[in-house]
Amino acid sequence: MRFDLSRALGKAEDFLRRHLKPKAVQEAERRRQQRKAREVGRRLKRGVAVAGTSGAGVLGYGLAVAPVGTAGLATAGVATVIAIGAALFWPSQSESRGRISSAELAALTGEAEEWLLQRRAELPGRALPAIDAIFFRLNDVHPRLLELDPNGTLAWDLRRLLTSHLPRLVHSYSELPATVREAEPELLQRLIDGLGTLDEELIRICREASRDHLVTFEAQQHFLASRYKDSATLKGE
């Protein structure tokens, strides 16, 4: 069997890109662990609150109405366990329809990170730099989201990009049979180009979302220039 050097090099490059994760991906994974820890904490607090409420209700009924027998306590215990289970495992978020809140808007970047981290391992190595650039943009734009009108144009642009355009692009490529992708390598380049286009749009959204901060910075720079450089010129004259 003839040794295909270019194919072997391609596989080696794919392996390295997949396992030597850049800083943006490592930070995204760290943020995912932090989100999971916070969610576990919220669910545990919810479970404790439900357990306390149920226990207080049984005790109050026994004191105010009638003593609770063994069967009643058992029934109350089962009901409490069911309620705690629902509090721990019931989805904390639902799919938003129509208008969205500031909290839902702020959660978009985290949800996009979760989805991309899951899909990253399935994509070809050559596409990973374009995916990793999007991780970097998501981290940049996230702090600005709470300052946006959740139903303004910019928020809806971001929502469409992260919940529709990005998933559809990746899904449409992933669903192509491997035979087709290998026979038409230009398809991979189209995927990379599409990811690059979305990255450019994220840059635009990040810049627009930071416009107030940018104006403040530029005003301060102009003030310093006029205060010190211009006054130094006048003194020299």
Side-chain angles (χ1 to χ4, degrees), residues 141-192:
V141 77
H142 177 74
R144 307 275 76 85
L145 296 183
L146 291 176
E147 302 171 12
L148 293 181
D149 175 4
N151 294 286
T153 302
L154 204 60
W156 281 99
D157 286 346
L158 181 66
R159 187 188 188 199
R160 279 193 296 269
L161 190 155
L162 297 182
T163 64
S164 177
H165 299 163
L166 175 61
R168 286 170 60 186
L169 174 65
V170 175
H171 277 310
S172 61
Y173 179 83
S174 300
E175 290 173 358
L176 291 172
T179 302
V180 175
R181 282 183 279 175
E182 290 177 2
E184 301 182 48
E186 67 275 9
L187 294 173
L188 175 55
Q189 187 57 50
R190 293 179 191 173
L191 170 65
I192 294 171

Coordinates of all heavy atoms in Angstrom, one line a residue, residues 141-192:
V141 N -18.1 39.8 24.1 CA -19.4 40.5 24.0 C -20.3 40.2 25.2 O -21.2 41.0 25.5 CB -20.2 40.0 22.7 CG1 -20.8 38.6 22.9 CG2 -21.2 41.0 22.3
H142 N -20.0 39.2 26.0 CA -20.9 38.8 27.1 C -21.0 39.9 28.1 O -22.2 40.2 28.6 CB -20.4 37.6 27.8 CG -21.2 37.2 29.0 ND1 -22.4 36.6 28.9 CD2 -20.9 37.3 30.3 CE1 -22.9 36.4 30.2 NE2 -22.0 36.8 31.0
P143 N -20.0 40.6 28.6 CA -20.1 41.7 29.6 C -21.0 42.8 29.2 O -21.5 43.6 30.0 CB -18.7 42.1 29.9 CG -17.8 41.0 29.4 CD -18.5 40.4 28.3
R144 N -21.1 43.0 27.9 CA -21.9 44.2 27.3 C -23.4 43.9 27.2 O -24.2 44.8 27.0 CB -21.4 44.5 25.9 CG -19.9 44.8 25.8 CD -19.5 46.2 26.2 NE -19.6 46.5 27.6 CZ -18.6 46.2 28.5 NH1 -17.4 45.7 28.0 NH2 -18.7 46.5 29.7
L145 N -23.8 42.6 27.4 CA -25.2 42.2 27.1 C -26.2 42.9 28.1 O -27.3 43.2 27.7 CB -25.3 40.7 27.1 CG -24.6 40.0 26.0 CD1 -24.8 38.5 26.0 CD2 -24.9 40.6 24.6
L146 N -25.8 43.0 29.3 CA -26.8 43.6 30.3 C -27.0 45.0 30.1 O -28.0 45.6 30.6 CB -26.2 43.3 31.7 CG -26.2 41.9 32.2 CD1 -25.6 41.8 33.6 CD2 -27.6 41.3 32.2
E147 N -26.2 45.7 29.2 CA -26.4 47.1 28.9 C -27.3 47.3 27.7 O -27.6 48.4 27.4 CB -25.0 47.7 28.7 CG -24.0 47.6 29.8 CD -22.6 48.1 29.5 OE1 -22.5 48.7 28.4 OE2 -21.7 47.8 30.3
L148 N -27.6 46.2 27.0 CA -28.4 46.3 25.8 C -29.9 46.2 26.1 O -30.3 45.6 27.1 CB -28.0 45.2 24.8 CG -26.6 45.2 24.2 CD1 -26.5 44.0 23.3 CD2 -26.4 46.5 23.5
D149 N -30.7 46.9 25.3 CA -32.1 46.7 25.3 C -32.4 45.3 24.7 O -32.0 45.0 23.6 CB -32.8 47.7 24.4 CG -34.3 47.5 24.2 OD1 -34.8 46.6 24.9 OD2 -34.9 48.2 23.4
P150 N -32.9 44.4 25.6 CA -33.1 43.0 25.1 C -34.0 42.8 23.9 O -34.0 41.8 23.3 CB -33.7 42.3 26.4 CG -34.3 43.4 27.2 CD -33.5 44.6 26.9
N151 N -34.8 43.8 23.6 CA -35.6 43.7 22.4 C -35.2 44.8 21.3 O -36.0 45.0 20.4 CB -37.1 43.9 22.8 CG -37.6 42.8 23.6 OD1 -37.8 41.7 23.2 ND2 -37.7 43.0 24.9
G152 N -34.0 45.3 21.5 CA -33.5 46.2 20.5 C -32.9 45.4 19.3 O -32.7 44.2 19.3
T153 N -32.5 46.2 18.2 CA -32.0 45.6 17.0 C -30.8 44.8 17.2 O -30.6 43.7 16.7 CB -31.8 46.7 15.9 OG1 -33.0 47.4 15.7 CG2 -31.2 46.1 14.7
L154 N -29.8 45.3 18.0 CA -28.6 44.7 18.2 C -28.8 43.3 19.0 O -28.1 42.3 18.6 CB -27.6 45.6 19.0 CG -26.1 45.3 18.9 CD1 -25.7 45.5 17.4 CD2 -25.3 46.3 19.8
A155 N -29.6 43.3 20.0 CA -29.9 42.1 20.7 C -30.5 41.0 19.8 O -30.2 39.9 19.9 CB -30.8 42.4 21.9
W156 N -31.4 41.4 18.9 CA -32.0 40.5 18.0 C -31.1 40.0 17.0 O -31.1 38.8 16.6 CB -33.3 41.1 17.4 CG -34.4 41.1 18.3 CD1 -34.9 42.1 19.1 CD2 -35.3 39.9 18.6 NE1 -36.0 41.7 19.8 CE2 -36.2 40.3 19.6 CE3 -35.3 38.6 18.2 CZ2 -37.2 39.5 20.1 CZ3 -36.3 37.7 18.7 CH2 -37.2 38.2 19.6
D157 N -30.1 40.8 16.6 CA -29.1 40.4 15.6 C -28.2 39.3 16.3 O -27.9 38.3 15.7 CB -28.2 41.6 15.3 CG -28.8 42.5 14.3 OD1 -29.9 42.2 13.7 OD2 -28.3 43.7 14.1
L158 N -27.9 39.5 17.5 CA -27.1 38.5 18.3 C -27.9 37.2 18.5 O -27.3 36.1 18.3 CB -26.6 39.1 19.6 CG -25.7 38.1 20.4 CD1 -24.4 37.9 19.8 CD2 -25.5 38.7 21.8
R159 N -29.1 37.4 18.8 CA -30.0 36.2 19.1 C -30.1 35.4 17.8 O -29.9 34.1 17.8 CB -31.3 36.6 19.5 CG -32.2 35.5 20.0 CD -33.6 35.9 20.3 NE -34.4 34.9 20.9 CZ -35.7 34.9 20.9 NH1 -36.4 35.9 20.3 NH2 -36.4 33.9 21.5
R160 N -30.3 36.0 16.6 CA -30.5 35.2 15.4 C -29.1 34.6 15.0 O -29.1 33.4 14.6 CB -30.9 36.2 14.3 CG -32.4 36.5 14.2 CD -32.7 37.1 12.9 NE -32.1 38.4 12.8 CZ -32.6 39.6 13.2 NH1 -33.8 39.6 13.8 NH2 -32.0 40.7 13.0
L161 N -28.0 35.3 15.2 CA -26.7 34.7 14.9 C -26.4 33.4 15.7 O -26.0 32.4 15.2 CB -25.6 35.8 15.1 CG -24.2 35.4 14.6 CD1 -23.5 36.7 14.3 CD2 -23.4 34.6 15.6
L162 N -26.7 33.5 17.0 CA -26.3 32.4 17.9 C -27.3 31.3 18.0 O -26.9 30.1 18.2 CB -26.1 33.0 19.4 CG -24.9 34.0 19.5 CD1 -24.8 34.4 21.0 CD2 -23.6 33.4 19.0
T163 N -28.6 31.6 17.8 CA -29.6 30.5 17.9 C -30.1 30.0 16.5 O -30.7 29.0 16.5 CB -30.8 31.0 18.7 OG1 -31.4 32.1 18.0 CG2 -30.4 31.5 20.1
S164 N -29.7 30.7 15.4 CA -30.2 30.2 14.1 C -29.0 30.1 13.1 O -28.8 29.0 12.7 CB -31.2 31.2 13.6 OG -31.7 30.8 12.3
H165 N -28.4 31.2 12.8 CA -27.4 31.1 11.7 C -26.2 30.2 12.0 O -25.8 29.4 11.2 CB -26.9 32.6 11.4 CG -28.1 33.5 11.0 ND1 -28.0 34.8 11.0 CD2 -29.3 33.2 10.6 CE1 -29.1 35.4 10.6 NE2 -29.9 34.4 10.3
L166 N -25.6 30.3 13.2 CA -24.5 29.5 13.6 C -24.9 28.0 13.6 O -24.2 27.2 13.0 CB -23.9 30.0 14.9 CG -22.7 29.1 15.4 CD1 -21.5 29.1 14.5 CD2 -22.2 29.7 16.8
P167 N -25.9 27.6 14.4 CA -26.3 26.2 14.4 C -26.6 25.6 13.0 O -26.2 24.5 12.7 CB -27.5 26.2 15.3 CG -27.3 27.4 16.2 CD -26.7 28.4 15.3
R168 N -27.3 26.4 12.2 CA -27.7 25.9 10.9 C -26.5 25.7 10.0 O -26.4 24.7 9.3 CB -28.7 26.9 10.2 CG -30.1 26.8 10.9 CD -31.0 27.9 10.4 NE -31.2 27.9 8.9 CZ -31.8 28.8 8.2 NH1 -32.3 29.9 8.8 NH2 -31.9 28.7 6.9
L169 N -25.5 26.6 10.1 CA -24.3 26.4 9.3 C -23.6 25.1 9.7 O -23.2 24.3 8.8 CB -23.4 27.6 9.5 CG -22.0 27.5 8.8 CD1 -22.1 27.5 7.3 CD2 -21.1 28.7 9.2
V170 N -23.4 24.9 11.0 CA -22.6 23.8 11.4 C -23.4 22.5 11.2 O -22.9 21.5 10.7 CB -22.3 23.9 12.9 CG1 -21.6 22.6 13.5 CG2 -21.4 25.1 13.2
H171 N -24.7 22.5 11.5 CA -25.6 21.3 11.2 C -25.5 20.9 9.7 O -25.4 19.7 9.4 CB -27.0 21.6 11.7 CG -27.2 21.4 13.1 ND1 -26.8 20.3 13.8 CD2 -27.8 22.2 14.1 CE1 -27.2 20.4 15.1 NE2 -27.8 21.5 15.3
S172 N -25.7 21.9 8.9 CA -25.8 21.6 7.5 C -24.5 20.9 6.9 O -24.6 20.1 6.1 CB -26.1 22.9 6.7 OG -25.1 23.8 6.8
Y173 N -23.4 21.3 7.5 CA -22.1 20.7 7.1 C -22.0 19.3 7.7 O -21.6 18.3 7.1 CB -20.9 21.6 7.5 CG -19.6 20.9 7.1 CD1 -19.1 21.0 5.8 CD2 -18.9 20.2 8.0 CE1 -17.9 20.4 5.5 CE2 -17.7 19.6 7.7 CZ -17.2 19.7 6.4 OH -16.0 19.1 6.0
S174 N -22.3 19.2 9.0 CA -22.1 17.9 9.7 C -23.0 16.8 9.2 O -22.7 15.7 9.2 CB -22.5 18.1 11.2 OG -21.6 19.1 11.8
E175 N -24.2 17.2 8.6 CA -25.1 16.2 8.1 C -24.7 15.7 6.7 O -25.3 14.8 6.2 CB -26.5 16.8 8.0 CG -27.1 17.0 9.4 CD -28.4 17.8 9.3 OE1 -28.8 18.2 8.2 OE2 -29.0 18.0 10.4
L176 N -23.7 16.3 6.1 CA -23.2 15.8 4.8 C -22.5 14.5 5.0 O -21.7 14.3 6.0 CB -22.2 16.8 4.2 CG -22.8 18.1 3.7 CD1 -21.6 19.1 3.3 CD2 -23.7 17.9 2.5
P177 N -22.7 13.5 4.2 CA -22.0 12.2 4.3 C -20.5 12.4 4.2 O -20.0 13.3 3.4 CB -22.5 11.4 3.2 CG -23.9 12.0 2.8 CD -23.7 13.5 3.1
A178 N -19.7 11.6 4.9 CA -18.2 11.7 4.8 C -17.7 11.5 3.4 O -16.8 12.2 3.0 CB -17.6 10.7 5.7
T179 N -18.4 10.7 2.6 CA -18.0 10.5 1.2 C -18.1 11.7 0.4 O -17.2 12.1 -0.4 CB -18.9 9.4 0.6 OG1 -18.8 8.2 1.3 CG2 -18.5 9.1 -0.9
V180 N -19.2 12.5 0.6 CA -19.4 13.8 -0.1 C -18.3 14.8 0.3 O -17.7 15.5 -0.5 CB -20.8 14.3 0.1 CG1 -21.0 15.7 -0.5 CG2 -21.8 13.3 -0.4
R181 N -18.1 14.9 1.6 CA -17.1 15.8 2.1 C -15.7 15.5 1.6 O -14.9 16.4 1.3 CB -17.1 15.9 3.7 CG -18.3 16.6 4.2 CD -18.2 16.7 5.7 NE -18.7 15.4 6.3 CZ -18.7 15.2 7.6 NH1 -18.2 16.0 8.5 NH2 -19.2 14.0 8.1
E182 N -15.3 14.3 1.6 CA -14.0 13.9 1.1 C -13.9 14.1 -0.4 O -12.8 14.5 -0.9 CB -13.7 12.4 1.4 CG -13.5 12.2 2.9 CD -13.3 10.7 3.2 OE1 -13.3 9.9 2.2 OE2 -13.2 10.3 4.4
A183 N -15.0 13.9 -1.2 CA -14.9 14.1 -2.6 C -14.9 15.6 -3.0 O -14.5 15.9 -4.1 CB -16.1 13.4 -3.3
E184 N -15.5 16.4 -2.1 CA -15.6 17.8 -2.4 C -14.9 18.6 -1.3 O -15.6 19.2 -0.5 CB -17.0 18.3 -2.6 CG -17.7 17.5 -3.8 CD -19.1 18.0 -4.0 OE1 -19.3 19.2 -4.1 OE2 -20.0 17.1 -4.1
P185 N -13.6 18.7 -1.2 CA -12.9 19.4 -0.1 C -13.3 20.9 0.0 O -13.1 21.5 1.0 CB -11.4 19.2 -0.4 CG -11.4 18.8 -1.9 CD -12.6 18.1 -2.2
E186 N -13.8 21.5 -1.1 CA -14.1 22.9 -1.1 C -15.3 23.1 -0.1 O -15.5 24.3 0.3 CB -14.5 23.4 -2.5 CG -15.7 22.8 -3.1 CD -15.5 21.5 -3.8 OE1 -14.4 21.0 -3.7 OE2 -16.4 21.1 -4.5
L187 N -16.0 22.1 0.2 CA -17.1 22.3 1.1 C -16.6 22.7 2.5 O -17.2 23.5 3.2 CB -17.9 21.0 1.3 CG -18.7 20.5 0.0 CD1 -19.3 19.2 0.2 CD2 -19.8 21.6 -0.4
L188 N -15.5 22.1 2.9 CA -14.9 22.5 4.2 C -14.5 24.0 4.2 O -14.7 24.7 5.2 CB -13.7 21.6 4.5 CG -12.9 22.0 5.7 CD1 -13.8 22.0 7.0 CD2 -11.7 21.0 5.9
Q189 N -13.9 24.4 3.0 CA -13.5 25.8 3.0 C -14.8 26.7 3.0 O -14.7 27.8 3.6 CB -12.8 26.1 1.6 CG -12.2 27.5 1.5 CD -11.3 27.8 2.7 OE1 -10.4 27.0 3.0 NE2 -11.4 29.0 3.3
R190 N -15.9 26.3 2.5 CA -17.1 27.1 2.6 C -17.6 27.2 4.0 O -18.1 28.2 4.5 CB -18.2 26.5 1.7 CG -17.9 26.6 0.2 CD -19.1 25.9 -0.5 NE -18.7 25.8 -1.9 CZ -19.5 25.1 -2.8 NH1 -20.6 24.5 -2.4 NH2 -19.1 25.0 -4.1
L191 N -17.4 26.1 4.8 CA -17.8 26.1 6.2 C -16.9 27.1 6.9 O -17.3 27.9 7.7 CB -17.6 24.7 6.8 CG -17.7 24.7 8.4 CD1 -19.1 25.0 8.9 CD2 -17.3 23.3 8.9
I192 N -15.6 27.1 6.7 CA -14.6 28.0 7.3 C -14.9 29.4 6.9 O -14.9 30.3 7.8 CB -13.2 27.6 6.9 CG1 -12.8 26.2 7.4 CG2 -12.2 28.7 7.4 CD1 -11.5 25.7 6.9

